[in-house]
Amino acid sequence: MLKYAPRSRHPHGDSLLVTDEPSDNGNTAQAASTPINVAFWNLQNLFDLNASAIAADFEYTPVHGWDRRALQTRIRNLAEVIRLMFDGDGPDLLGVCEIESARVARILIDALGRDDYVLAEAEHPGLAGLDTSLIYSTRVFDSDQTAAAGHVADLRYATQDVLEVRLKVRRNQCDLVVLVNHWPSRRCGSPEAEALRMTAASCCRRLVDRTVKMSRKEYLQLKDSELSLLELQRRWDRNVLVMGDLNDEPWDRSVREVLRGVYSLEPFDETVRLSRGALPSYKAYDTLAARLFNPMWGLAGMPDSGTTSNAGLAGAAEPTQLLDQFLLSRGLCLGLSGLQPQLSADGIPEVNVFRPEVMRTRRNRPREYRRETRAGYSDHFPITMSLRVL
């Protein structure tokens, strides 16, 4: 397979070089203690070259300077940052948004120079574009591609707003459900925009519930036994990782109330229990609220800890906003099903905003891509975390 040649940290050329040499980045065998590195990044309008209604609306057309040479430069710059992640090892799992097509995603994968990267694909008939995508390492994960699904929450643009992918960790065969999100923009700042984000949060919330809880039909078919209780608890403790540009901060209603993202481990004491020696009624079971732990709260008190500078609302001098987030199911947060985030000294899952020097401005803001100069990276910093295999 043709691979894009590795480049220095500060590219200045106008085209991508290709080589027939196979990539040798990384070893095929991983030590048992090696963590799984996870990242998410809003790539800022990474459009294909094919004409589309969305590209025209955002003026990403040849008339406005979006041509093959511009795409090559952007791909090269984005790949440069991704390769710097995790001390140069790169992520094992990379969620992205604002990417228009599978073709562009594959060009990005080729530019990363790793032959173990695969694009998780979902059927999306009638959609105008991908928007959300997931790249994973086949050294670390297997994937049931037939189980991947794209979900549309914002009908203004028929794009894949939530991507659902089911993965299996090769090392211990545990399952991981990944939900990659991109919620409607804050740019107009209207109540209608907030309502659209609440709708997207509700869509993601339903996918989480569907993963960790049984449907009414499934529940009513259970026999009243300890084995059934064990099955309910195993499902309740499934690994679910939500990631994405939510266009709201952790304390906003869409994340805190609708998605039920919390910064406390206390709600995770709630489990499925017998009621007077029998399974609870379906009505009682249905009221169980599957909450998600939001580790991004830990960054909230730090100066300039956000992922984007203003999202089109605040002035250039305003603090950064923490719009890109990870959220974890009970099972994943507590390490109940084979995976757990690396923890801080206080026992809290560790997350980071990745700010390499090459993509920081003098004011520590993201160096966004500008078409007029064909320079820059994205208007968002990536976020990163690592998972331990138990």
Side-chain angles (χ1 to χ4, degrees):
M1 178 183 294
L2 291 179
K3 298 291 180 185
Y4 289 102
R7 296 186 51 87
S8 65
R9 288 195 172 193
H10 300 282
H12 296 289
D14 292 323
S15 62
L16 293 175
L17 303 177
V18 295
T19 175
D20 290 315
E21 294 298 321
S23 168
D24 61 353
N25 186 7
N27 299 318
T28 56
Q30 289 183 317
S33 60
T34 303
I36 297 174
N37 295 324
V38 182
F40 172 82
W41 195 9
N42 181 326
L43 301 180
Q44 188 197 354
N45 295 329
L46 184 58
F47 283 99
D48 206 335
L49 298 178
N50 302 324
S52 70
I54 298 177
D57 284 350
F58 284 85
E59 297 186 345
Y60 275 80
T61 63
V63 173
H64 296 93
W66 187 245
D67 54 19
R68 182 177 180 273
R69 189 172 171 183
L71 176 61
Q72 288 175 330
T73 303
R74 283 225 63 200
I75 291 287
R76 183 181 61 218
N77 289 359
L78 295 171
E80 174 188 14
V81 172
I82 294 169
R83 287 196 299 264
L84 291 175
M85 294 178 182
F86 302 102
D87 297 324
D89 290 335
D92 302 305
L93 187 64
L94 173 63
V96 297
C97 73
E98 293 199 13
I99 185 167
E100 188 184 18
S101 70
R103 190 185 84 90
V104 173
R106 291 192 183 94
I107 294 173
L108 177 60
I109 289 174
D110 281 348
L112 293 172
R114 280 182 47 172
D115 57 9
D116 60 313
Y117 278 156
V118 171
L119 177 67
E121 296 192 67
E123 291 294 327
H124 49 88
L127 295 190
L130 291 184
D131 192 8
T132 53
S133 292
L134 186 70
I135 298 167
Y136 66 91
S137 168
T138 55
R139 297 174 191 156
V140 179
F141 297 103
D142 287 319
S143 171
D144 182 359
Q145 293 279 17
T146 63
H151 304 274
V152 178
D154 180 5
L155 297 179
R156 294 175 302 168
Y157 291 107
T159 58
Q160 183 172 269
D161 302 306
V162 184
L163 173 63
E164 177 185 14
V165 180
R166 299 178 183 273
L167 300 169
K168 187 176 291 291
V169 179
R170 284 178 173 265
R171 251 181 286 169
N172 65 357
Q173 295 299 296
C174 73
D175 295 320
L176 174 64
V177 177
V178 184
L179 300 173
V180 188
N181 292 253
H182 187 208
W183 296 359
S185 173
R186 298 166 64 95
R187 289 190 182 279
C188 58
S190 66
E192 291 80 6
E194 182 186 19
L196 290 171
R197 290 191 296 279
M198 300 276 275
T199 299
S202 181
C203 174
C204 186
R205 170 78 260 155
R206 288 194 301 271
L207 296 174
V208 172
D209 284 343
R210 190 176 71 183
T211 301
V212 302
K213 295 175 68 175
M214 288 188 177
S215 66
R216 184 177 187 275
K217 180 179 180 180
E218 290 173 317
Y219 189 85
L220 294 179
Q221 289 175 345
L222 291 175
K223 294 181 179 180
D224 201 359
S225 67
E226 291 283 350
L227 287 177
S228 293
L229 181 66
L230 180 61
E231 178 58 32
L232 287 170
Q233 192 60 53
R234 283 176 176 167
R235 184 148 183 168
W236 186 248
D237 292 338
R238 280 180 170 174
N239 295 319
V240 182
L241 173 60
V242 175
M243 63 171 70
D245 175 5
L246 308 186
N247 267 309
D248 269 333
E249 299 194 83
W251 45 87
D252 287 320
R253 291 177 59 205
S254 62
V255 183
R256 181 171 47 87
E257 296 180 12
V258 180
L259 193 54
R260 298 175 188 155
V262 299
Y263 190 57
S264 170
L265 297 177
E266 186 176 347
F268 294 128
D269 289 338
E270 189 173 27
T271 61
V272 184
R273 297 184 174 89
L274 294 177
S275 176
R276 298 180 181 179
L279 292 180
S281 66
Y282 175 73
K283 183 177 180 180
Y285 172 73
D286 192 44
T287 61
L288 285 175
R291 292 177 175 84
L292 299 170
F293 186 80
N294 192 338
M296 311 307 292
W297 277 91
L299 302 177
M302 301 168 62
D304 272 345
S305 60
T307 57
T308 189
S309 57
N310 54 56
L313 290 178
E318 293 296 321
T320 55
Q321 294 176 300
L322 195 56
L323 305 186
D324 303 271
Q325 299 171 50
F326 292 120
L327 295 99
L328 319 169
S329 67
R330 163 193 156 94
L332 183 57
C333 183
L334 302 181
L336 302 175
S337 297
L339 288 175
Q340 187 177 29
Q342 289 189 333
L343 305 177
S344 68
D346 297 327
I348 302 299
E350 288 188 319
V351 292
N352 296 284
V353 179
F354 185 61
R355 298 183 178 87
E357 182 179 354
V358 70
M359 72 168 299
R360 291 199 314 262
T361 67
R362 286 179 297 176
R363 301 182 64 254
N364 286 322
R365 298 303 194 258
R367 193 179 300 279
E368 64 181 275
Y369 174 75
R370 297 191 179 279
R371 277 171 295 176
E372 58 271 21
T373 60
R374 292 183 177 174
Y377 299 86
S378 171
D379 55 358
H380 287 244
F381 288 123
I383 55 174
T384 62
M385 66 180 299
S386 294
L387 303 175
R388 297 186 299 124
V389 180
L390 304 179

